Each structure stands twice: as structure tokens, then as C-alpha cells.
Amino acid sequence: MSAIKSKSLKKVLQYSKPYQKRFNWVIVWAILLSIFAAIRPYLLKQTVDDYLKNHDAEGLLYYIILMSLVLILEVSSQFYFTYWANWLGQDIIKDIRDKLFKHITSFKMKYFDTEPVGKLVTRTVSDIESIASIFSQGLFMIVSDILKMIVVLGIMLYMNWKLTLIVLLAMPILIYATNIFQKKMKVAFNEVRNQISNLNTFVQERLTGMKIVQLFNRETIEAEKFKEINQKHNKAWLKNILYNSIFFPIADIVSSLTLGAIVWYGGLDILSGNSATTFGDLFAYTMLISMLFNPLRQIADKFNVMQMGIIAAERVFEVLETDSQIQDKGTKDATQFKGNISFKDIRFSYIKGEEVLKGVNLNVRSGETIAIVGSTGAGKSTIINLLNRFYEIDSGTICVDEIDIKNYKLDSLRKQIAIVLQDVFLFADTIYNNITLYNSSITREDVLIAAKKIGVHNFIMSLPNGYDYNVKERGVMLSSGQRQLIAFLRAYVSNPSILILDEATSSVDSYSEELIQIATEKITKGRTSIVIAHRLATIIKADKIIVMDKGKIVESGSHNELLKLENGYYKNLYEAQFETKVI
């Protein structure tokens, strides 16, 4: 376990290389701080023994000024050490967070199918903040404390080795207690991190699904479940508090008893007339013991803070080192597709051994609009997921313009394909930014022209602030039909070579559906389009309709051709929908 911790710390320290000069200065300030802090008690000894005792007012003033100067230098060193250590830590976690977020955005969709969102939020936010504590409250503080202890011990030995021996006899007790405390706290901190992750995951999911919680009257049930998780989190922290409550009083007792032993032994030495111990020694040792024991007892707490940061780093590096990316080894730029698509004997499974697509063969000609229909789970949406390379196929080949899509650069491939999904996701931002997604190549004029062309400009302008209307999180300020219209416009302004509509009209009102039908005709014109739909009335005009069932293509043809098939799958589906509509 310690080897893993050491390895993780080394990985974190790798991120300090761009800031090596600042890293070195932090060490310099730590050394200066330990020296200036340890010098003050020695100057106090000199003041008492050489000037106060001898009533030397001029010498006393000189040493008071000297101690003040040393104090200023100590405070300055403390300021620069603390500021630079925190500055370094914040820049390092900024770099790690940037890298982590970029890494997460490159994951396959399969990763997000199995990993809770709350876990990734915890890794990206709170775990990375904990890594900063390695520098601000952990590693450098420990180095500074150890340096201070070494210098203090050296001065104590130089001043009076007998009194120092008493201190050294007490130190093993404190070191032993510190070691026990450190081990207990490591377990407690790890449990705290686990419970924080559980809390984040639970809250994230319930807030996202609040409509379901309230719709099914689960408020009380979910509150009880949260209470249970929160109780576990509370217990984890109480262990932490308990260990602190036990350790620090023990450390204070050891420190106080040692100081008492010093005063007792030193006092007897002075009373006996032995010149080995002076009043200055006793004054200095009251400060030196505190400077020696306080870092020693706090070093355990700082070790635990650092361990908490390292544990958090392990979690972050676990995600960073997750190899879940789509292999982007393509060399060809997909600047503009003609739009010829072919699926050749495609087999695919989300779960190994459970095939979703079973040898699918499909050809789409340039400029053609094809529709894919079938029951839920037939594999319709899987086809578009594979075309965009959200998942890797098990076997077979997918080609666009007779070139395997694996040979295209991934980002250029996806730029040429636009998708309008059934469940439209809008960010908590303006309508304009949700349309352009901050693509600088799309101007406001482009958006206005496109909106007017597909018939959604008037709808947008009817909203407060028009294109600058903030739709809030997930677009809650808009109806599902309005969100669909924004999604159509977003797809249109990206000027794709291939357009995919995935159940785009399955849950909208009649007015929005009419606008969407107009928008559909406009944006599909002149480009290869794939439409997945449950409402068969919306795909009657498609050039070709593909019927899927249980991962296979069972029928293919135009609307009229498929209706002529006796007891055909499409014919039965169409008649069932038509009869339902008539009723």
C-alpha cells in the first residue's frame, strides 16, 4: 500500500515540473523559516543571561531590536512560504483538472453507461481540491516542520545537552502515539472519501431525476435513503473527530510533563550552583519545547491531510489512466462528404455475448433520406451510435464515401454528422450559445438566416430577449417541442454532410410537430439523412424505409412497396398505428 502511495505522490509531483523554479523557492522559504524561528529562543537566552541578568540596558535594547528583526524575517518567510506553496498547489490542480476533463470527454459512451455521473463529478471537483492540500497543508508543511525540528534540536543540544536528553526521552512516546494516530486516521479519511463520493452520486441522480421523484411520490422514500447515506457519512467523520479528540490531549500532556521535568531538573541545577544550566536556558526551553513538540504532534495531522490528498490523487489517476477512448488513428480529413454510407456485415454488442446487431448490411446513397423503424431494442439507435463511432463495432466495416470510418480523423468525422435526438439536451445558457455551442465559425447572421429558412425565427423572437434568452439547466424554460426546434436549428447551422433524426418528433405537441415537419424538409434537402421514428406518418416520404427486428434488417423498400408485402412487419405496424389514430 505504501508503495502505491509513493507512486501516486511521484505522479502528482510530475505536474510540478513546469513550475520547478517556484517549487525550489518554496523549499528555500521553508529552510529560512525554520532557521529564523529557531534563532529567536536562542536570542532570548542570550538576552536573559548576558544583559537582563547584568542590568545592561544598552545590550538589552540591542538584542530586543535584533529579535524584532528576526521576527520580521520569520513572518516574511512564513508569508512567502505559505503563499507560494498554495499558489503552486492551485496551478498544479488546474493542470490536472484540465487534463482530466479533456480525458473524460474523449471516453467511449460505454464508459458513461456504467459509471455514475456523481463519481466523475467528485473526481473532477472535490478530489482534485484535495490534491491541492498535498502542497498547501501536507508535503511542504511536513518538510518545513521537519527542518524546524532539526534546527531546534541542534540548538538545544548546543545550549544544554542534559536538558535536551530529557526532551529526547519524551519524544519516543509522542512518536509512538503519532504513528498509531496516523494509521487510524488513514482508515478514517479513506472512509470519509468513499462516503462523500456516495453522497455526491446520490444527490446528483436525485436532482437530475427530480421530476420522477415527485411524479411517483417518492419524496419521503428518497429522503429516508439520503438520511441513511448521510448517517454513514456522519459516522465516518465522527471517527475522525474521535481520533483527534484522543490524540491531541495526549500530545499536550506529554509536552506539559516534559516542560515540567525541564523546569524541575533545570531549577535544581541552578539552585545547586551548577553553572551548566542558566535562567536563560529555562526561558529558551519553554519556547523550544513548544517549537519541537507542536510540529511533531501536528505532523500526524499533516500526514493525514497529505494521505487524503494522495488517496484523492489515486482516484483521479484511476480515471486518467482509464483506457476507454475510441482509437483515433485515422489520417484522412473529412472535409465534406458526398454522403454514401454502407454497413457491411456489422455485428455489435453492448455487453459481451449479447449481440444487438447481428450481421447488418445497409447502403445509403448520397442525398437519400432513409427511415429506420422497428420495435424498442431492435437496434435502430445503435446504428447511428456506430456511425458516429461512439462505440466500437465487434466485426464488419462501416464506410462513408467508400472509406472505412476508422480511417477518418475522429473529430473531422463527427463534424460532418449532425444528430437531433429525442431527448434534447440544452445547457444553462442562452439560446444563441446553445445553437452555436461557441463555434466561432458560426456567426449571429448565419444563425438568423438559418432560423428564418427553417421557420423557427418567429418562435425564438417571441421569447424574452429572443436569441439571448437563458433556457436554464437542461432547457427547463422551454417545452419539449421548443427544445426540439432549437436542436434542429443547431444541427442545421453546423452544415453537416449527413443528418440523423433520432425519434425527433416522438413527444411534441401538434403545433411544434408542424414546425418540425417544415424544418425537417428544409434541413434534409440535398443531404444524406437517416430518420429513426415511431410515428410512421412522418416517414412516408422517405426514399427508403428499413425495418429492423431483433438486431436484423427484416424488410426494406419505399412506403408503398412495404405496404404491398402480405403480412409484412411494416404493414402490420402501419395499420396498427393508423387504426389507433382513427379510433
Side-chain angles (χ1 to χ4, degrees):
M1 183 62 76
S2 59
I4 295 173
K5 297 288 186 290
S6 176
K7 188 177 178 182
S8 297
L9 180 59
K10 286 178 182 177
K11 287 179 184 177
V12 173
L13 291 176
Q14 289 293 317
Y15 286 88
S16 69
K17 285 186 176 179
Y19 311 102
Q20 190 63 50
K21 185 177 179 181
R22 201 185 309 167
F23 185 96
N24 294 338
W25 268 108
V26 172
I27 299 298
V28 169
W29 290 121
I31 294 169
L32 291 175
L33 176 61
S34 62
I35 292 171
F36 292 136
I39 284 176
R40 281 194 300 114
Y42 182 74
L43 292 176
L44 178 63
K45 165 191 162 56
Q46 296 293 98
T47 304
V48 171
D49 289 342
D50 296 343
Y51 301 104
L52 194 61
K53 185 179 179 181
N54 298 325
H55 304 284
D56 186 345
E58 187 178 340
L60 179 64
L61 179 62
Y62 170 77
Y63 260 75
I64 292 295
I65 293 172
L66 185 60
M67 281 193 289
S68 299
L69 179 62
V70 170
L71 179 61
I72 291 170
L73 291 172
E74 181 187 347
V75 170
S76 299
S77 299
Q78 179 74 57
F79 167 77
Y80 283 111
F81 169 72
T82 304
Y83 180 79
W84 282 49
N86 279 274
W87 181 20
L88 177 64
Q90 287 301 317
D91 276 352
I92 286 172
I93 67 167
K94 174 181 67 68
D95 293 346
I96 296 175
R97 186 180 282 121
D98 284 343
K99 185 176 180 180
L100 178 64
F101 185 78
K102 186 177 180 181
H103 188 67
I104 289 173
T105 58
S106 69
F107 282 164
K108 302 174 186 176
M109 288 297 110
K110 188 174 183 179
Y111 181 86
F112 300 103
D113 292 340
T114 56
E115 291 294 330
V117 175
K119 172 185 170 182
L120 295 176
V121 172
T122 302
R123 299 294 175 270
T124 311
V125 182
S126 58
D127 278 340
I128 286 188
E129 282 299 331
S130 295
I131 294 175
S133 65
I134 293 175
F135 299 93
S136 61
Q137 302 170 49
L139 179 66
F140 290 131
M141 288 294 182
I142 291 170
V143 170
S144 175
D145 285 345
I146 290 173
L147 285 172
K148 189 183 294 184
M149 288 166 63
I150 291 170
V151 174
V152 165
L153 206 54
I155 287 177
M156 291 172 81
L157 285 168
Y158 174 75
M159 286 171 50
N160 191 317
W161 70 269
K162 290 182 179 178
L163 294 181
T164 305
L165 187 61
I166 296 173
V167 175
L168 290 174
L169 289 172
M171 281 185 72
I173 301 170
L174 196 55
I175 290 171
Y176 178 74
T178 300
N179 188 44
I180 298 277
F181 173 69
Q182 184 184 340
K183 289 177 179 177
K184 294 289 185 183
M185 286 297 288
K186 184 173 84 171
V187 175
F189 271 134
N190 205 6
E191 180 62 20
V192 166
R193 295 308 307 167
N194 286 331
Q195 294 306 326
I196 288 173
S197 181
N198 292 339
L199 267 177
N200 283 343
T201 300
F202 185 89
V203 172
Q204 171 84 23
E205 289 181 347
R206 270 59 185 182
L207 291 179
T208 304
M210 187 55 68
K211 185 179 287 186
I212 299 299
V213 171
Q214 294 184 356
L215 186 64
F216 289 92
N217 297 313
R218 289 186 58 84
E219 294 93 333
T220 304
I221 296 170
E222 296 300 337
E224 286 300 318
K225 289 173 72 176
F226 178 80
K227 190 176 179 180
E228 184 181 336
I229 296 171
N230 198 28
Q231 182 65 28
K232 289 180 180 177
H233 175 260
N234 177 260
K235 284 183 179 178
W237 270 112
L238 284 175
K239 279 186 181 180
N240 186 306
I241 294 166
L242 175 65
Y243 296 144
N244 277 289
S245 301
I246 293 171
F247 172 74
F248 286 107
I250 290 174
D252 285 338
I253 289 169
V254 172
S255 179
S256 299
L257 289 174
T258 304
L259 181 59
I262 290 288
V263 172
W264 175 74
Y265 179 83
L268 289 178
D269 208 26
I270 293 171
L271 290 174
S272 67
N274 193 335
S275 60
T277 304
T278 66
F279 282 107
D281 288 338
L282 295 182
F283 273 98
Y285 267 75
T286 54
M287 290 181 66
L288 289 168
I289 288 172
S290 176
M291 292 173 67
L292 184 67
F293 279 17
N294 279 348
L296 186 60
R297 72 173 191 174
Q298 290 173 9
I299 210 165
D301 196 36
K302 289 167 186 174
F303 259 117
N304 286 316
V305 169
M306 189 169 78
Q307 280 183 335
M308 197 170 184
I310 293 172
I311 289 168
E314 287 173 6
R315 296 169 185 268
V316 170
F317 289 130
E318 181 186 344
V319 178
L320 272 173
E321 292 166 4
T322 297
D323 184 17
S324 187
Q325 287 83 11
I326 294 290
Q327 294 300 311
D328 187 11
K329 297 180 180 178
T331 55
K332 292 184 177 293
D333 272 311
T335 51
Q336 190 71 34
F337 287 143
K338 292 178 183 177
N340 294 301
I341 305 170
S342 67
F343 282 66
K344 301 175 183 177
D345 195 28
I346 298 300
R347 293 185 177 274
F348 172 76
S349 53
Y350 292 103
I351 302 171
K352 193 174 181 180
E354 298 179 17
E355 278 192 337
V356 176
L357 297 183
K358 304 170 183 178
V360 169
N361 289 283
L362 173 64
N363 289 295
V364 186
R365 292 194 298 270
S366 175
E368 191 174 44
T369 296
I370 72 158
I372 305 176
V373 300
S375 60
T376 302
K380 305 184 299 297
S381 296
T382 300
I383 285 179
I384 64 172
N385 285 335
L386 297 182
L387 181 60
N388 279 277
R389 295 198 67 201
F390 291 144
Y391 299 86
E392 294 282 24
I393 58 177
D394 297 340
S395 64
T397 308
I398 301 174
C399 294
V400 176
D401 293 345
E402 300 179 354
I403 297 174
D404 191 326
I405 59 172
K406 291 181 180 179
N407 293 330
Y408 290 112
K409 293 178 182 177
L410 189 58
D411 62 338
S412 69
L413 171 71
R414 290 178 178 169
K415 280 180 183 177
Q416 294 304 315
I417 303 172
I419 304 179
V420 179
L421 297 169
Q422 175 185 1
D423 184 17
V424 177
F425 187 94
L426 298 181
F427 296 95
D429 207 331
T430 64
I431 286 178
Y432 176 76
N433 288 333
N434 268 289
I435 292 166
T436 63
L437 296 177
Y438 291 91
N439 186 340
S440 58
S441 65
I442 302 173
T443 66
R444 198 173 188 89
E445 187 179 356
D446 292 333
V447 174
L448 293 173
I449 292 170
K452 290 173 182 177
K453 190 174 287 187
I454 67 172
V456 299
H457 176 72
N458 291 336
F459 140 65
I460 295 174
M461 292 306 295
S462 69
L463 298 170
N465 299 321
Y467 288 86
D468 294 317
Y469 179 63
N470 194 310
V471 299
K472 306 301 181 183
E473 189 174 359
R474 300 181 68 88
V476 294
M477 303 304 290
L478 302 178
S479 69
S480 58
Q482 289 172 329
R483 290 197 294 270
Q484 286 287 5
L485 290 170
I486 299 301
F488 269 81
L489 183 53
R490 179 161 64 191
Y492 188 53
V493 297
S494 67
N495 193 28
S497 301
I498 298 170
L499 177 69
I500 297 169
L501 307 180
D502 186 3
E503 309 282 8
T505 60
S506 63
S507 58
V508 298
D509 56 82
S510 57
Y511 174 72
S512 296
E513 184 175 358
E514 187 179 338
L515 288 177
I516 288 172
Q517 288 296 337
I518 296 169
T520 301
E521 290 180 15
K522 294 284 187 182
I523 69 175
T524 57
K525 189 176 181 180
R527 56 169 57 90
T528 304
S529 303
I530 300 174
V531 181
I532 296 174
H534 278 306
R535 293 186 184 184
L536 303 187
T538 63
I539 57 166
I540 291 173
K541 296 180 182 179
D543 297 310
K544 185 165 56 176
I545 298 171
I546 306 296
V547 185
M548 294 192 68
D549 184 40
K550 297 178 182 177
K552 294 181 179 180
I553 295 175
V554 293
E555 292 174 8
S556 176
S558 66
H559 171 71
N560 291 329
E561 288 171 346
L562 293 176
L563 285 182
K564 293 176 183 178
L565 296 176
E566 191 64 35
N567 201 32
Y569 190 104
Y570 178 81
K571 182 181 180 181
N572 292 335
L573 194 62
Y574 182 78
E575 288 176 350
Q577 282 196 15
F578 182 74
E579 287 170 7
T580 302
K581 188 175 181 182
V582 170
I583 292 170

